[in-house]
Amino acid sequence: MSGLNASLGYFLTIVGVSVVGRVILARSRLRWAFLTEFIAAFALAACRLEVDTIAEVGQWAGALGPDVAITMLFLSIMIHGIIMQGVSGNPSVTLMGILQKDVGAMAGALSVVAQLLGACLALVVAGRYWEMELTDMHMIKNLMMSECSTSLRVSALQGVLAEALGAVTFHLVYLVLESRSQLLRIPILALLLTFIAYAGNNYTSGYVNPSLAYALTFTCPGHSFLAYSLVYWLGPLIGMSLALFLYVGNVPLLFSRNLLYSKKARFRVPKGKASED
């Protein structure tokens, strides 16, 4: 079995499981958002783990170049956006909802925990898949599991800045497109996330998603858990908060007045009337 065929089968299986889980939750009486966040985070991390395998090993073991990895990343994000509409699988997006007062604190906390658990499950599932060693690429990846390469290739401070820059860009576009049609919103966000991942490849891999980063690099040697937490949690949260502040003019959970933009007067006095007075 060729490496690309095995990877496509893996992607289709993850998508199929995610669709079935989403449909079951939609048809059942359970309306807990954290369950769909669990599925979304699982699907996102599971697909990204295989994309990173193609990027790291595919060129030598499967004759799959970087263009294949970028294409698969874009397609996986696109499909994720289609089947998981209204669900992010991203703790920073969930926390932004809390800051906007659109999501309650308890519901947000449950969603973040579910996202982390979904990412952990994705790591376990991907590990079992690699252990099957269906191709040379996956055999090499299975041998590399205990000594995976870290995604953080710069200092912690530079990593925080890189993740914050990627996060502020993503969240600004996310907020601007929030009320737009899904036909426009999904491909633009997928293209943007793919670009951020490509641009940040030599820095932090541009995850801008703490649960995704947890599955892909927190278990890798090279940096401490604290350094990873600062880069992949603090960085996205700083970028998200800055994007929300720039877009709205304040942080609704913390401030009631607009700190950046003044509201225009609702009624204007006609010039003639003003001169007569």
Side-chain angles (χ1 to χ4, degrees), residues 1 4 8 37 67 86 88 102 105 114 118 137 167 176 186 191 194 205 210 212 217 239 243-244 272:
M1 181 181 293
L4 184 58
L8 288 175
E37 289 289 352
D67 55 333
S88 66
D102 293 335
M137 178 177 70
V176 169
I186 292 175
L191 185 62
T194 304
S205 291
L212 184 63
T217 198
L244 181 61

Side-chain angles (χ1 to χ4, degrees), residues 2-271:
S2 69
L4 184 58
N5 289 338
S7 295
L8 288 175
Y10 172 82
F11 285 128
L12 291 176
T13 301
I14 296 299
V15 170
V17 170
S18 302
V19 170
V20 170
R22 187 71 193 270
V23 170
I24 291 174
L25 288 177
R27 293 185 177 181
S28 67
R29 295 183 179 180
L30 298 177
R31 300 300 180 184
W32 298 330
F34 70 88
L35 292 177
T36 53
E37 289 289 352
F38 174 85
I39 297 173
F42 164 75
L44 203 58
C47 291
R48 186 64 182 269
L49 283 163
E50 183 66 5
V51 168
D52 278 15
T53 300
I54 296 174
E56 293 174 1
V57 190
Q59 190 170 359
W60 296 277
L64 303 176
D67 55 333
V68 177
I70 291 295
T71 302
M72 297 302 289
L73 177 60
F74 172 74
L75 291 177
S76 64
I77 297 174
M78 269 278 291
I79 295 173
H80 183 272
I82 293 172
I83 65 177
M84 291 293 171
Q85 294 185 30
V87 187
S88 66
N90 188 337
S92 64
V93 174
T94 300
L95 293 175
M96 184 172 68
I98 296 176
L99 293 180
Q100 290 178 293
K101 297 195 291 188
D102 293 335
V103 179
M106 182 58 70
L110 288 174
S111 294
V112 170
V113 171
Q115 289 159 352
L116 290 173
L117 292 176
C120 290
L121 178 62
L123 187 59
V124 172
V125 170
R128 294 290 183 268
Y129 166 67
W130 295 330
E131 287 177 357
M132 297 171 64
E133 298 184 355
L134 298 177
T135 65
D136 292 342
M137 178 177 70
H138 296 105
M139 180 185 66
I140 296 174
K141 182 64 178 180
N142 184 42
L143 296 174
M144 295 170 56
M145 279 187 65
S146 59
E147 293 294 334
C148 57
S149 57
T150 178
S151 300
L152 182 56
R153 298 179 175 89
V154 293
S155 67
L157 178 58
Q158 291 174 317
V160 170
L161 294 176
E163 283 291 303
L165 179 60
V168 72
T169 304
F170 166 70
H171 285 285
L172 269 177
V173 176
Y174 182 93
L175 288 167
V176 169
L177 298 176
E178 196 167 16
S179 59
R180 300 290 184 177
S181 169
Q182 295 289 350
L183 292 176
L184 177 68
R185 190 165 178 262
I186 292 175
I188 290 179
L189 290 177
L191 185 62
L192 177 62
L193 287 172
T194 304
F195 173 77
I196 292 174
Y198 177 79
N201 184 56
N202 293 325
Y203 301 93
T204 63
S205 291
Y207 295 129
V208 296
N209 183 334
S211 63
L212 184 63
Y214 181 81
L216 271 77
T217 198
F218 270 55
T219 58
C220 297
H223 297 275
S224 65
F225 184 84
L226 177 60
Y228 282 132
S229 299
L230 287 174
V231 171
Y232 294 107
W233 275 96
L234 184 60
L237 293 182
I238 290 174
M240 176 270 291
S241 302
L242 181 59
L244 181 61
F245 184 75
L246 291 174
Y247 182 76
V248 180
N250 69 344
V251 179
L253 184 66
L254 304 178
F255 307 101
S256 57
R257 56 174 295 188
N258 198 306
L259 302 177
L260 283 184
Y261 311 115
S262 60
K263 295 181 179 180
K264 295 182 179 180
R266 182 173 297 181
F267 303 104
R268 294 184 178 180
V269 180
K271 293 183 179 179

